[in-house]
Amino acid sequence: MDFGFTIYPNPFTSATTFKYALDEPVQVNLRIYDSHGRLLAEPVNTFLQKGEQKVEWKADDLPAGVYYLRLQAGDNLTTTKILKIY
């Protein structure tokens, strides 16, 4: 499955948006981890229908740094780096 995954803005200051597309209805899990592998947030953990998806993540309470976003949809998995500044 090609998610067509985009993150904007990246780097970000207080919030960022994740956009992705699903080819079929599927269980989706989106998690954010810190650089030590600790789970910080789980903005999505539900069954979603086919089509475009959009999630805003607010990180006002977190310090500047590198974070990792892990998106799993069914058997498909992608991980990407996001950067919070200021």
Side-chain angles (χ1 to χ4, degrees), residues 35-68:
S35 60
H36 300 288
R38 292 181 292 234
L39 178 63
L40 300 176
E42 190 173 37
V44 178
N45 185 12
T46 192
F47 189 85
L48 294 174
Q49 296 300 315
K50 174 182 175 177
E52 293 273 326
Q53 309 295 327
K54 182 174 161 182
V55 178
E56 182 182 37
W57 180 55
K58 295 184 180 187
D60 293 326
D61 57 335
L62 295 175
V66 175
Y67 297 91
Y68 296 90

Side-chain angles (χ1 to χ4, degrees), residues 3 19 30-31 47 58 60 64 75 86:
F3 295 116
K19 275 181 69 174
L30 192 150
R31 292 180 174 172
F47 189 85
K58 295 184 180 187
D60 293 326
D75 294 334
Y86 305 108

